[in-house]
């Protein structure tokens, strides 16, 4: 970290010692129930970037103690969105440092006057380091983006007749060698650079958007409440097994009733107590999209906690009954071989940056279904919870990836980085553990896993993730050589990125087939694990045409894909279990001589219009579906096979 930014964190020390009320328990998605209310704070917030030389003026002047507008001019900033592309100011688009958000919320009187009601403030995603105040009182701090964090603010809003509260959030998007993703600040002190000139250096290829990317919400629970629910599932003959563990906070004296309802609202199993097993005869399994005539079947787990007749809490969790297993050459869902034919994505769009947007999300899912895609990886960070909820509903299989992208520096493999990485996996698994669509965890993308410290780093990280969730395989995505990768021995599935005839042997399509075939054979011979081609592709400017194909033309992207596909078709009969195109859509990156307003490897433009390659991929994916559909519609008793390595 640079000396100036190091001083920034030291200066903040006294602020971070106040009485934070951060929640250490579960992270259930806020939903309205008979006992819970939700108030979403989407809309315009007051916003101000701290352009002072040390970026600390807001803390020195304590902007959180009074309305933000009293400390200086503010902008209207939409939430959720990234702040970078909202104005016409290049200085704000490329800003590194602290920005400040503020919003006043009006609370219902029943929230502020009923001391049996617990009021919680939840920030669904803030990039990257956040400090939060309510009415000028520090309530929570969080390190890292993409994942939610909460604070119980009941005592701050139930202290008098006031029904409003002022929420102030300071966010710093600075990346260091020990953050996820890592980065470093480079200062240029020699002439002819401007005074105090610095920039953020990163080793990942997407724009470092920042801000409040997802909703900020207030929600209520009773003071004794359901804090967390963990569900795992299995199948025994034709009986579905739903194992549950429930955590209750606030009191030790309560009763728990658990019911499982089918899609028609019929109770199919019920139990009492904090943990147990629900048995579902002739269970409807959760199947991926296009793998079964009735995919994505979801039950509802209804949990009722009661202390008295009038003091109770309710929560309903969707549950998909399915199994995941891995053999030396197969990835199995419900005992049947599953082949990933899908995409890599980004949370990225015009103007909004990484800001959550329902119309864009539904458009993307409609495009996935049009393609015949059955899966995607959350490259290179956890996506919004709403994305995973739709995957559960539609049957789209997910490789859930943490923000471990760009881990290239030796110091990023040290104890400080490892500690943070383990905490991020704690948060990711806690948030996403109950989604049937999530079938595998990915702990990193393209790390420098040939460095000596990588062996201990990934052994520890993967073992920790398996301890958190023994029901799913764990991987990371590599672009190292098969005989140099020190983390690969610890993964359950090999995920490899390669760009033959693009970054290597550029323009030479004829090298793809022999090089790709050699890649697969060497990896499998060395590790004897199923392989996913987790990235491949070529930049393409929509409307550029050249025949014979040349780089950046639509014809070149099509030809590259077709050469890869010929090898995939050979090797998926053996041990290749998936192919994920890079990328679903064009996306923004830092400015670079090799980036023409972003990365153009999408099969769709950033505005979600198809390039020629989209039709090539659509034809291929539907052909794969037609080849396998007859087998996938077999009765459940024929679908369950032996599972040498079951999760």
């Amino acid at each position: 970290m640079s000396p100036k930014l190091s001083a920034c964190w030291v200066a903040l020390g006294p602020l971070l010692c106040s009485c934070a009320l951060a929640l250490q328990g579960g992270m259930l998605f806020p939903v309205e129930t008979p006992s819970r209310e939700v108030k979403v704070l989407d809309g315009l917030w007051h916003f101000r970037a701290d352009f002072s030389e040390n970026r600390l003026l807001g803390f020195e002047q304590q902007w959180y103690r009074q309305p933000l507008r009293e400390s200086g001019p503010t902008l209207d900033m939409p939430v959720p969105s990234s702040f970078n592309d909202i104005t016409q100011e290049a200085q704000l688009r490329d800003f590194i440092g602290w920005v400040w958000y503020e919003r006043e919320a009006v609370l219902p009187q029943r929230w502020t006057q009923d001391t049996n009601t617990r009021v919680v403030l939840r920030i669904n995603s803030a990039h990257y380091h956040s400090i939060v105040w309510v009415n000028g009182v520090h309530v929570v701090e969080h390190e890292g983006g993409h994942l939610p964090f909460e604070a119980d603010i009941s005592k701050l809003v139930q202290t008098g007749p006031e029904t409003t509260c002022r929420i102030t959030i300071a966010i710093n998007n600075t990346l260091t060698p020990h953050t996820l993703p890592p980065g470093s600040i480079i200062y240029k002190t020699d002439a002819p650079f401007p005074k105090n000139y610095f920039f953020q250096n990163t080793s990942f290829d997407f724009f470092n958007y920042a801000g409040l990317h997802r909703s900020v919400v207030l929600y209520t629970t009773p003071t004794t409440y359901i804090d967390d629910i963990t569900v795992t599932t299995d199948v025994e003959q034709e009986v579905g097994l739903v194992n549950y563990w429930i955590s209750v906070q606030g009191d030790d004296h309560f009763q728990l009733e658990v019911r499982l309802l089918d899609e028609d609202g019929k109770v199919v199993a019920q139990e009492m107590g904090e943990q147990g097993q629900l048995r579902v005869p002739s269970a409807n399994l959760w199947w991926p999209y296009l793998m079964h005539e009735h995919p994505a079947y979801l039950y509802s787990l209804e949990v009722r906690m009661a202390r008295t007749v009038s003091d109770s809490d309710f929560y309903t969790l969707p549950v998909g009954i399915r199994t995941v297993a891995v053999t030396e050459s197969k990835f199995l869902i419900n005992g049947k071989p599953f082949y990933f034919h899908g995409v890599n994505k980004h949370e990225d769009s015009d103007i909004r940056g990484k800001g959550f947007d329902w119309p864009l999300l539904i458009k993307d899912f409609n495009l996935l279904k049009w393609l015949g895609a059955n899966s995607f990886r959350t490259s290179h960070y956890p996506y919004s919870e709403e994305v995973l909820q739709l995957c559960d509903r539609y049957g789209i299989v997910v490789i859930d990836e943490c923000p471990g992208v760009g881990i290239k520096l030796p110091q990023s493999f040290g104890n400080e980085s490892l500690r943070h990485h383990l905490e991020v996996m704690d948060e990711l698994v806690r948030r996403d553990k109950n989604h049937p669509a999530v079938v595998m965890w990915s702990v990193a993308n393209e790390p420098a896993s040939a460095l000596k410290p990588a062996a201990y780093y990934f052994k520890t990280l993967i073992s920790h993730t398996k301890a958190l969730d023994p029901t799913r395989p764990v991987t990371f995505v590599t672009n190292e050589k098969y005989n140099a990768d020190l983390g690969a021995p610890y993964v359950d599935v090999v995920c490899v990125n390669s760009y033959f005839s693009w970054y290597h042997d550029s323009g030479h399509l004829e090298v793809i087939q022999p090089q790709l075939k050699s890649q697969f054979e060497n990896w499998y011979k060395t590790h004897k694990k199923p392989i996913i081609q987790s990235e491949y592709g070529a930049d393409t400017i929509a409307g550029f045409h050249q025949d014979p194909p040349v780089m950046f033309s639509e014809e070149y992207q099509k030809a590259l894909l077709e050469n890869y596909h010929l090898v995939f078709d050979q090797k998926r009969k053996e041990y290749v279990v998936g192919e994920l195109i890079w990328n679903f859509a064009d996306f923004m990156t830092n400015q670079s001589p090799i980036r023409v307003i972003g990365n153009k490897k999408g099969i769709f433009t950033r505005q979600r219009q198809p390039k020629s390659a989209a039709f090539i991929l659509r034809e291929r994916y539907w052909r794969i579906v037609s080849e396998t559909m007859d087998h996938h519609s077999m009765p459940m008793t024929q679908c369950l096979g032996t599972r040498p390595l079951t999760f």
Side-chain angles (χ1 to χ4, degrees):
M1 187 185 295
S2 71
K4 292 184 180 179
L5 289 177
S6 295
C8 167
W9 295 116
V10 171
L12 293 182
L15 292 171
L16 307 185
C17 295
S18 57
C19 55
L21 304 173
L23 302 181
Q24 301 301 318
M27 195 59 65
L28 295 174
F29 186 76
V31 295
E32 293 197 324
T33 74
S35 61
R36 297 176 176 227
E37 294 181 273
V38 178
K39 184 179 181 67
V40 180
L41 301 181
D42 289 359
L44 295 181
W45 287 53
H46 298 297
F47 174 89
R48 187 177 180 189
D50 186 344
F51 286 104
S52 63
E53 181 180 340
N54 65 0
R55 302 297 197 254
L56 286 175
L57 186 64
F59 294 99
E60 293 166 353
Q61 296 183 350
Q62 300 182 335
W63 289 355
Y64 51 87
R65 289 198 176 278
Q66 63 277 325
L68 193 58
R69 64 182 179 277
E70 294 182 10
S71 64
T74 62
L75 301 175
D76 286 335
M77 186 59 63
V79 173
S81 76
S82 304
F83 63 74
N84 308 79
D85 292 343
I86 298 299
T87 75
Q88 295 302 104
E89 302 300 324
Q91 188 181 22
L92 185 59
R93 180 194 64 200
D94 300 321
F95 181 78
I96 300 297
W98 288 100
V99 298
W100 293 71
Y101 286 80
E102 182 195 81
R103 166 79 182 263
E104 284 202 355
V106 178
L107 307 182
Q109 284 188 344
R110 60 187 175 276
W111 289 22
T112 61
Q113 296 178 5
D114 183 0
T115 56
N116 292 319
T117 295
R118 178 172 159 271
V119 182
V120 181
L121 172 65
R122 175 182 170 114
I123 292 88
N124 283 335
S125 176
H127 289 213
Y128 285 94
H129 191 109
S130 306
I131 306 174
V132 184
W133 298 262
V134 172
N135 295 333
V137 177
H138 173 249
V139 295
V140 68
E141 178 185 9
H142 185 257
E143 182 181 358
H146 312 286
L147 292 165
F149 56 101
E150 300 181 338
D152 184 336
I153 64 169
S154 307
K155 293 180 179 179
L156 295 174
V157 299
Q158 294 172 347
T159 56
E162 290 294 327
T163 59
T164 63
C165 68
R166 180 169 48 85
I167 301 166
T168 308
I169 306 175
I171 304 173
N172 193 323
N173 62 345
T174 304
L175 299 176
T176 77
H178 307 298
T179 57
L180 280 185
S184 56
I185 298 293
I186 308 297
Y187 278 89
K188 296 289 188 179
T189 57
D190 52 326
F193 289 99
K195 183 182 178 182
N196 301 319
Y197 180 79
F198 69 91
F199 63 92
Q200 175 79 73
N201 188 46
T202 61
S203 296
F204 54 81
D205 188 31
F206 54 90
F207 192 81
N208 187 30
Y209 282 114
L212 291 172
H213 288 162
R214 300 171 194 156
S215 295
V216 177
V217 302
L218 292 164
Y219 72 91
T220 65
T221 73
T223 50
T224 300
Y225 60 97
I226 300 162
D227 177 58
D228 198 14
I229 304 171
T230 301
V231 169
T232 65
T233 64
D234 204 347
V235 179
E236 194 176 82
Q237 300 294 325
E238 291 193 7
V239 178
L241 306 178
V242 178
N243 305 297
Y244 67 87
W245 295 263
I246 300 167
S247 169
V248 173
Q249 296 290 334
D251 198 342
D252 294 331
H253 303 288
F254 57 84
Q255 285 188 331
L256 275 173
E257 179 185 1
V258 181
R259 305 194 307 167
L260 192 70
L261 283 65
D262 64 17
E263 289 187 347
D264 296 323
K266 177 184 175 183
V267 177
V268 296
Q270 56 187 345
E271 279 289 344
M272 301 291 293
E274 297 168 72
Q275 65 181 71
Q277 183 181 85
L278 301 169
R279 298 178 63 86
V280 186
S282 303
N284 293 298
L285 300 189
W286 187 94
W287 289 98
Y289 175 56
L290 300 175
M291 195 174 176
H292 194 271
E293 58 184 340
H294 299 297
Y297 192 96
L298 292 174
Y299 292 88
S300 295
L301 186 78
E302 289 189 351
V303 180
R304 178 178 182 269
M305 184 283 304
R307 295 174 65 211
T308 65
V309 174
S310 60
D311 186 5
S312 56
D313 190 21
F314 300 84
Y315 195 88
T316 300
L317 181 75
V319 171
I321 300 175
R322 60 105 181 96
T323 64
V324 174
V326 172
T327 73
E328 278 194 1
S329 60
K330 295 287 186 282
F331 194 101
L332 305 175
I333 296 180
N334 299 331
K336 288 186 59 62
F338 176 75
Y339 187 77
F340 296 78
H341 47 88
V343 303
N344 294 275
K345 294 181 87 278
H346 266 298
E347 289 186 321
D348 174 276
S349 65
D350 289 331
I351 302 174
R352 301 160 187 81
K354 291 191 181 302
F356 178 82
D357 181 67
W358 272 114
L360 180 74
L361 181 58
I362 297 301
K363 176 66 173 180
D364 281 2
F365 271 87
N366 284 330
L367 289 174
L368 288 172
K369 291 191 285 186
W370 175 84
L371 271 178
N374 65 3
S375 53
F376 64 80
R377 174 170 61 121
T378 67
S379 46
H380 298 298
Y381 39 81
Y383 293 176
S384 74
E385 289 160 280
E386 292 87 347
V387 169
L388 297 184
Q389 290 164 5
L390 286 183
C391 289
D392 291 342
R393 289 175 54 188
Y394 295 158
I396 303 297
V397 168
V398 176
I399 300 172
D400 202 351
E401 189 162 271
C402 83
V405 57
I407 305 175
K408 301 293 188 182
L409 300 173
Q411 56 264 48
S412 295
F413 288 93
N415 288 337
E416 183 178 349
S417 295
L418 180 57
R419 174 199 59 79
H420 179 52
H421 206 151
L422 295 173
E423 290 174 349
V424 170
M425 292 310 302
D426 287 344
E427 292 186 20
L428 177 59
V429 173
R430 177 179 65 171
R431 192 196 76 164
D432 294 347
K433 60 189 175 184
N434 293 321
H435 288 285
V438 175
V439 300
M440 184 158 59
W441 305 110
S442 172
V443 299
N445 177 77
E446 295 186 355
S449 47
L451 294 178
K452 187 176 180 180
Y456 174 78
Y457 190 94
F458 284 106
K459 180 181 180 181
T460 304
L461 184 59
I462 291 172
S463 296
H464 179 74
T465 306
K466 287 177 173 289
L468 293 171
D469 178 18
T471 71
R472 291 177 176 90
V474 181
T475 189
F476 70 85
V477 176
T478 183
N479 62 351
E480 295 286 357
K481 297 295 185 182
Y482 71 95
N483 55 358
D485 196 310
L486 299 178
Y490 306 106
V491 303
D492 297 305
V493 177
V494 172
C495 291
V496 60
N497 295 347
S498 55
Y499 288 91
F500 304 124
S501 87
W502 190 256
Y503 296 121
H504 313 286
D505 302 296
S506 304
H508 292 278
L509 294 165
E510 66 274 13
V511 309
I512 294 174
Q513 292 186 48
Q515 291 184 0
L516 183 60
K517 184 178 178 182
S518 175
Q519 167 197 278
F520 285 145
E521 291 173 350
N522 286 327
W523 273 101
Y524 190 72
K525 181 179 178 181
T526 303
H527 295 285
K528 288 292 190 293
K529 296 174 182 178
I531 301 172
I532 295 174
Q533 182 73 40
S534 39
E535 289 184 25
Y536 71 105
D539 282 85
T540 303
I541 310 298
F544 277 28
H545 295 282
Q546 195 79 28
D547 190 47
V550 298
M551 295 176 70
F552 294 98
S553 70
E554 295 196 39
E555 286 74 18
Y556 194 90
Q557 187 181 39
K558 287 168 57 180
L560 183 145
L561 266 59
E562 288 167 340
N563 274 278
Y564 268 85
H565 295 165
L566 289 171
V567 181
F568 293 163
D569 283 340
Q570 297 172 28
K571 296 303 181 182
R572 67 187 175 98
K573 298 173 183 176
E574 302 176 49
Y575 45 75
V576 170
V577 298
E579 55 190 79
L580 303 176
I581 187 71
W582 188 267
N583 193 281
F584 172 75
D586 295 345
F587 57 91
M588 189 54 65
T589 65
N590 289 333
Q591 297 184 66
S592 159
I594 64 169
R595 293 287 175 253
V596 185
I597 313 181
N599 188 304
K600 292 295 194 282
K601 291 189 180 68
I603 58 170
F604 297 100
T605 66
R606 202 182 190 204
Q607 295 73 37
R608 275 45 177 184
Q609 296 305 311
K611 304 176 189 177
S612 300
F615 297 94
I616 295 291
L617 209 62
R618 181 174 190 256
E619 180 181 355
R620 171 172 177 76
Y621 285 176
W622 284 105
R623 176 172 60 81
I624 292 174
V625 171
S626 66
E627 290 173 357
T628 56
M629 182 59 78
D630 288 342
H631 301 292
H632 290 163
S633 59
M634 289 190 298
M636 184 169 64
T637 52
Q638 298 179 39
C639 294
L640 299 175
T642 57
R643 296 189 291 253
L645 181 57
T646 303
F647 297 91

